Amino acid sequence: AAYTSLESKVVSSHSYIFAPIAVESVVKITNLAHSNDIDLDNIRIIKKIGGTIEQTELLNGLGIENPAVKSFGGPSKIIGGHIALIQFCLNSPSTDTDSVLVINNYSSMDKILREERQYITSICRKIKFSGCNVLLVQKSILKNPISDLALQILAQMKVMVIKDIPREDIPFILKSLGCVPIVDIESFSKEKLGYADLVEEKNYCNEKIINFQGIKCAFQKTATIVIRSSNKILLDEAVRSFHDALCVIRSLVRRRFLVGGGGSVEIEVSTILKQFSKSITGLDSYCINAFAGTLEIIPYTISENAGLEPIEIVSKLRKKHKEGNRLLGIDARKGMLRNMVEENVVTPLLVT
């Protein structure tokens, strides 16, 4: 079904890459034995320009696009990561209202700088004391969420810092890592941390992705797919096509029936309805026969789009179905009628 949904797309030549990844990502987030639906919000697609579509991959674990801060020698790889996500600023405190501070001598300036360093150092020590070694910092629109001094101290403590996490990405990250957002330093505790066996930074053509592998105790199972292409137009088309494949698989999970493609279902239903309309009289017979005729628009359009003679093809298809060849449909590539199930051209019942 996933292959069939991709055959009409611009990236149809890469359906052998997208279809298995789409199926694997759905299986990863869903217990198919006990679930009748799929939440596609649990599948995240990261777009990267550079490389080829063949390099598209399903990440092992979670992936986020923000790079690790290495300006002060901070780590870019952590084994056994205890992960915290903070929603407060690691910066010097500021007053609630605008104020002016007048410094008269160097000793006062030294005192302010010393107290600022002590304040930030005490916060960093609390973070390290909790066992945290991977710190995610939410992006702030008011001020810099983390100061250079805090970055330097955390780098010396071997804590990986990933800053400027967008607000809209927070819910997905939280349910993927199983951590609880921390709004102030006083509520910072080990119980609110998530855990991953490995946290490392991966390079994609000069762009960075942080990959969390071996996640424990996630609130929900999620999947992250990195789709790559050489230009933006093809990349956007690849993402749209991949999403279509996911929707087809979701339809198959909701209603677990497959039917033949190529117009075989529509022409079969049309044939049965036309036969039934002859067995009744009155307005109902006319309406059913008219509806049966409209169903033939699907195989007619398939023939027309494939560059075939639609009237001739639909007439042959109708005749074959009356003879009992119920799985016969239009093979657009070969320009002939073929058994759709044998050709593996199938589609979920809900899509039909």
Side-chain angles (χ1 to χ4, degrees):
Y3 277 108
T4 304
S5 68
L6 294 166
E7 284 300 311
S8 61
K9 304 294 191 296
V10 174
V11 294
S12 59
S13 58
H14 299 94
S15 58
Y16 69 97
I17 297 173
F18 282 174
I21 291 178
V23 173
E24 189 178 348
S25 61
V26 169
V27 171
K28 182 179 179 181
I29 68 170
T30 309
N31 186 347
L32 296 179
H34 301 92
S35 178
N36 294 321
D37 200 1
I38 296 172
D39 186 1
L40 293 184
D41 289 337
N42 290 335
I43 299 177
R44 187 184 185 197
I45 298 175
I46 296 177
K47 302 189 294 184
K48 289 296 180 185
I49 296 178
T52 61
I53 292 181
E54 286 83 356
Q55 294 173 303
T56 296
E57 63 176 313
L58 171 64
L59 293 181
N60 178 17
L62 169 70
I64 60 177
E65 298 182 72
N66 301 71
V69 178
K70 301 185 290 294
S71 55
F72 296 94
S76 59
K77 180 177 180 180
I78 297 290
I79 298 175
H82 295 272
I83 307 152
L85 191 149
I86 63 172
Q87 295 179 314
F88 60 90
C89 293
L90 259 174
N91 217 325
S92 56
S94 57
T95 57
D96 295 332
T97 59
D98 292 338
S99 58
V100 177
L101 182 64
V102 178
I103 301 175
N104 296 319
N105 50 57
Y106 288 109
S107 60
S108 299
M109 180 180 292
D110 290 339
K111 182 180 178 182
I112 292 174
L113 294 175
R114 185 169 59 253
E115 290 180 353
E116 178 185 3
R117 184 177 185 86
Q118 290 174 353
Y119 174 79
I120 294 178
T121 302
S122 65
I123 295 178
C124 295
R125 284 176 178 171
K126 288 181 180 179
I127 293 173
K128 184 64 176 178
F129 182 75
S130 69
C132 170
N133 53 11
V134 179
L135 187 66
L136 307 180
V137 184
Q138 180 176 308
K139 186 175 183 179
S140 174
I141 60 174
L142 299 177
K143 58 187 294 189
N144 187 11
I146 182 168
S147 66
D148 290 342
L149 178 58
L151 289 174
Q152 181 182 1
I153 295 172
L154 290 171
Q156 293 171 354
M157 295 178 175
K158 302 301 180 185
V159 176
M160 178 190 287
V161 178
I162 305 159
K163 66 175 185 176
D164 293 336
I165 305 293
R167 185 182 297 272
E168 58 271 17
D169 292 346
I170 296 297
F172 184 85
I173 293 173
L174 293 178
K175 64 185 176 183
S176 300
L177 296 176
C179 57
V180 178
I182 302 171
V183 296
D184 59 71
I185 190 60
E186 300 303 327
S187 60
F188 208 108
S189 63
K190 186 176 182 181
E191 291 73 22
K192 296 184 177 182
L193 304 182
Y195 179 82
D197 291 334
L198 177 63
V199 183
E200 65 174 338
E201 186 179 76
K202 291 187 174 181
N203 189 15
Y204 290 89
C205 296
N206 297 325
E207 294 192 45
K208 311 293 184 181
I209 288 180
I210 302 295
N211 187 202
F212 299 81
Q213 302 180 26
I215 298 171
K216 301 292 191 301
C217 303
F219 294 138
Q220 289 184 6
K221 293 182 179 179
T222 60
T224 305
I225 296 98
V226 179
I227 297 181
R228 304 177 64 180
S229 182
S230 57
N231 60 76
K232 187 178 185 300
I233 296 176
L234 187 57
L235 181 60
D236 291 339
E237 180 60 34
V239 172
R240 283 193 294 269
S241 301
F242 187 81
H243 186 267
D244 288 346
L246 291 176
C247 292
V248 166
I249 299 170
R250 179 176 61 181
S251 299
L252 184 56
V253 172
R254 288 176 174 175
R255 194 84 180 272
R256 303 187 183 190
F257 294 96
L258 284 172
V259 295
S264 59
V265 174
E266 289 80 9
I267 203 71
E268 178 65 21
V269 174
S270 174
T271 302
I272 294 173
L273 288 178
K274 284 184 177 180
Q275 292 175 349
F276 176 71
S277 68
K278 295 177 182 179
S279 65
I280 58 177
T281 59
L283 186 61
D284 291 343
S285 174
Y286 178 81
C287 292
I288 292 174
N289 188 65
F291 179 73
T294 60
L295 290 175
E296 294 184 357
I297 294 176
I298 302 298
Y300 187 95
T301 305
I302 293 175
S303 305
E304 202 172 39
N305 291 344
L308 306 175
E309 180 55 50
I311 297 177
E312 179 183 352
I313 292 293
V314 173
S315 299
K316 288 182 180 179
L317 188 60
R318 190 188 303 119
K319 178 182 177 183
K320 292 291 184 182
H321 275 257
K322 287 181 179 179
E323 295 173 356
N325 299 306
R326 301 196 304 173
L327 298 178
L328 219 60
I330 302 168
D331 188 333
R333 287 186 172 180
K334 297 179 181 179
M336 57 191 300
L337 304 181
R338 302 290 292 271
N339 187 308
M340 293 291 97
V341 175
E342 292 179 357
E343 293 296 315
N344 200 27
V345 180
V346 292
T347 182
L349 181 60
L350 275 183
V351 175
T352 305

